[in-house]
Amino acid sequence: MRLCFIAIRYDELNEDPDSYLGIARNLISWRGYSTPGTETPTAFRPPLYPILIAPISAENAAWARGTLNILAVVCASIFIWKSAISLGLSRSAQILAILVYGFDPLLVRYSSLSMTESVCSLMSAMLLWRLVQQEPPDQSRNLKTSCWKTPLLTGIVFGLCVLTRPTFWAFGGLFFLWSLFYLKFQKGATTSQLLRRFALAGLGVSIVVGPWLVRNCIVFHSPILMTSHGGYTVLLGNNEAFYAEVVEQPWGTVWDGSKGPGQGVWAHKVNQKLDQLELFSEVERDRWMANQARETIRNNPTLFLKACWLRFIRFWNIAPSGPAAENIPVALLRLVSLYYIVLWGFVAVGMARIVRFNFAQRMRWIPVILLVIAFTSVHLIYWSNVRMRAPIVPALSLIAAAAISRNRATHQQQLNDKIDIIGTNDTP
């Protein structure tokens, strides 16, 4: 299906809405990681995807970028399947998880674009696979005897994730805090054992992310761990124009100028203000925009909460809206909406089933659930739309699959209990 979609929309592979292609072409032309069309260094976008596509960034290599997206889907499907096995899902549930991921309309749509969604979902699937196969932090025996390579490789995978989508940092922090909290109420493992595991994971992260951090320190004289894009993203969803033209308007209103000057005019005014203040570097602009967003939030707490609710709905919307929905037939949009309505039903049932799994099995699901929570939480504050949901599609696929799975570990335990009861009854 994705091959057909890419063939139909092949020309879109040479479009560059987020400047990834431009940065990649600068890299391959030895102009460094710089703003497209210039040699000005940038940290506005995370670096992994431009580095990946740099050798295939030419206009006549669009087929190679399409192939990369297809390969990402195939590899992600394998990791989702392996994760489903580690989580104890039945064979039919394993197949469902792969199908949910493979036919997800959001990822199908972005498979014909030179953007991060396909690769990012692969990194997410790989990270979940690494985490769900590890023992819970209370298993002291495994913490003592497990190979040092396991947390190190997990850290490397996490590093690749944050270099694709910095939002993964929120998940990493949440997972770390949960592990410490969980350990506090468990007997067996000590804090030092858990910290050893995280230290090795941190080393893996440093190996991957360290060069990016060092480069930014040298070039921008600032320790940019993520990107210089965060201030813009938070201001985009927290400014008075957006509040007035979208948040205070009826549901479905988009920032297209129908209720005011529009997003383009607002962006132009922001750039004018930055120029007037003589803030020309990315670091200075990023800090100013982050400060403006914080000021807007402080001055408009009620509208901020309404905006958070709006961003939550947009993140979990059943169909794209605004420019993303343009040129899509109404019948197809309705079909997509129906797909997600059914999927959200499966996710709800899956969550209910997970809660009923035995304790050890529930603990294996924690990384899957925390990934969903982390991305949802971040996009309550930062700019949000359906596209931001792409990294958690592997997690949603696994949760939805749990809806039809009879957990194998639980089933085996029930059989053992029945055998014990029969054996007791037969005892004279």
Side-chain angles (χ1 to χ4, degrees), residues 177-399:
L177 292 175
W178 171 84
S179 297
L180 293 179
F181 176 80
Y182 177 82
L183 183 68
K184 183 178 180 181
F185 296 97
Q186 295 296 319
K187 296 179 180 180
T190 65
T191 301
S192 61
Q193 292 167 352
L194 182 64
L195 291 179
R196 175 177 173 272
R197 174 186 285 183
F198 277 106
L200 287 168
L203 176 61
V205 176
S206 300
I207 292 172
V208 178
V209 181
W212 172 247
L213 178 62
V214 171
R215 175 261 185 188
N216 290 334
C217 287
I218 295 172
V219 173
F220 296 103
H221 307 290
S222 178
I224 301 174
L225 181 63
M226 303 181 198
T227 65
S228 58
H229 185 61
Y232 169 77
T233 308
V234 70
L235 180 61
L236 186 62
N238 294 283
N239 62 82
E240 293 182 357
F242 177 73
Y243 286 177
E245 297 179 40
V246 180
V247 176
E248 293 190 282
Q249 302 302 325
W251 163 248
T253 302
V254 294
W255 203 4
D256 59 358
S258 59
K259 301 294 182 179
Q263 181 179 345
V265 173
W266 169 82
H268 180 68
K269 289 182 178 179
V270 169
N271 286 324
Q272 280 188 326
K273 182 67 175 178
L274 289 166
D275 291 341
Q276 291 172 2
L277 295 172
E278 297 183 348
L279 301 176
F280 300 114
S281 76
E282 284 189 1
V283 175
E284 293 174 328
R285 287 174 171 247
D286 183 60
R287 290 173 180 168
W288 182 87
M289 287 188 279
N291 289 333
Q292 289 297 113
R294 283 192 286 266
E295 183 177 345
T296 301
I297 293 170
R298 283 195 300 267
N299 295 337
N300 303 275
T302 302
L303 286 177
F304 169 67
L305 292 177
K306 291 180 66 175
C308 288
W309 175 243
L310 174 64
R311 285 187 283 268
F312 176 84
I313 296 175
R314 284 186 167 187
F315 186 84
W316 290 102
N317 204 357
I318 58 176
S321 59
E326 293 177 358
N327 302 321
I328 300 179
V330 175
L332 183 56
L333 284 175
R334 289 177 178 173
L335 186 61
V336 169
S337 299
L338 178 62
Y339 173 89
Y340 280 120
I341 289 173
V342 173
L343 178 59
W344 295 162
F346 271 80
V347 169
V349 175
M351 283 299 303
R353 295 291 302 276
I354 292 169
V355 171
R356 297 175 59 190
F357 290 164
N358 65 52
F359 182 77
Q361 285 297 307
R362 287 201 304 271
M363 291 304 98
R364 287 192 181 275
W365 281 91
I366 290 296
V368 180
I369 297 170
L370 289 183
L371 184 66
V372 176
I373 293 174
F375 272 77
T376 302
S377 300
V378 168
H379 288 290
L380 290 178
I381 301 173
Y382 288 77
W383 182 259
S384 179
N385 54 36
V386 173
R387 183 168 70 90
M388 308 301 173
R389 201 170 65 218
I392 66 171
V393 172
L396 296 175
S397 302
L398 291 167
I399 295 173

Side-chain angles (χ1 to χ4, degrees), residues 10-201:
Y10 183 78
D11 291 341
E12 289 183 343
L13 286 165
N14 280 317
E15 296 178 3
D16 196 19
D18 283 352
S19 301
Y20 288 113
L21 269 178
I23 295 173
R25 288 166 180 166
N26 279 356
L27 283 172
I28 203 66
S29 301
W30 298 100
R31 290 198 292 269
Y33 198 87
S34 55
T35 303
T38 74
E39 293 186 4
T40 304
T42 183
F44 198 71
R45 296 292 180 187
L48 182 60
Y49 185 68
I51 292 172
L52 280 178
I53 65 171
I56 53 173
S57 58
E59 187 171 345
N60 60 5
W63 64 271
R65 296 192 296 278
T67 302
L68 174 64
N69 288 343
I70 294 296
L71 289 175
V73 172
V74 173
C75 293
S77 298
I78 294 173
F79 287 120
I80 290 171
W81 170 61
K82 287 179 172 291
S83 296
I85 294 174
S86 296
L87 291 168
L89 296 182
S90 63
R91 182 61 60 86
S92 59
Q94 295 168 23
I95 295 172
L96 178 61
I98 295 172
L99 290 176
V100 168
Y101 173 79
F103 286 93
D104 184 81
L106 169 64
L107 293 180
V108 171
R109 171 66 189 92
Y110 284 94
S111 62
S112 66
L113 292 169
S114 296
M115 297 175 69
T116 62
E117 277 64 33
S118 295
V119 172
C120 188
S121 68
L122 165 60
M123 298 301 167
S124 178
M126 197 185 324
L127 179 62
L128 289 177
W129 169 64
R130 294 296 311 171
L131 292 174
V132 300
Q133 66 178 336
Q134 295 186 35
E135 294 296 334
D138 65 308
Q139 303 295 318
S140 57
R141 180 179 63 83
N142 290 285
L143 276 170
K144 292 176 181 177
T145 62
S146 62
C147 178
W148 59 270
K149 293 180 182 179
T150 298
L152 180 66
L153 290 175
T154 301
I156 290 173
V157 172
F158 180 77
L160 294 174
C161 287
V162 298
L163 290 185
T164 309
R165 190 73 65 90
T167 314
F168 278 102
W169 282 112
F171 166 70
L174 192 60
F175 184 75
F176 177 74
L177 292 175
W178 171 84
S179 297
L180 293 179
F181 176 80
Y182 177 82
L183 183 68
K184 183 178 180 181
F185 296 97
Q186 295 296 319
K187 296 179 180 180
T190 65
T191 301
S192 61
Q193 292 167 352
L194 182 64
L195 291 179
R196 175 177 173 272
R197 174 186 285 183
F198 277 106
L200 287 168

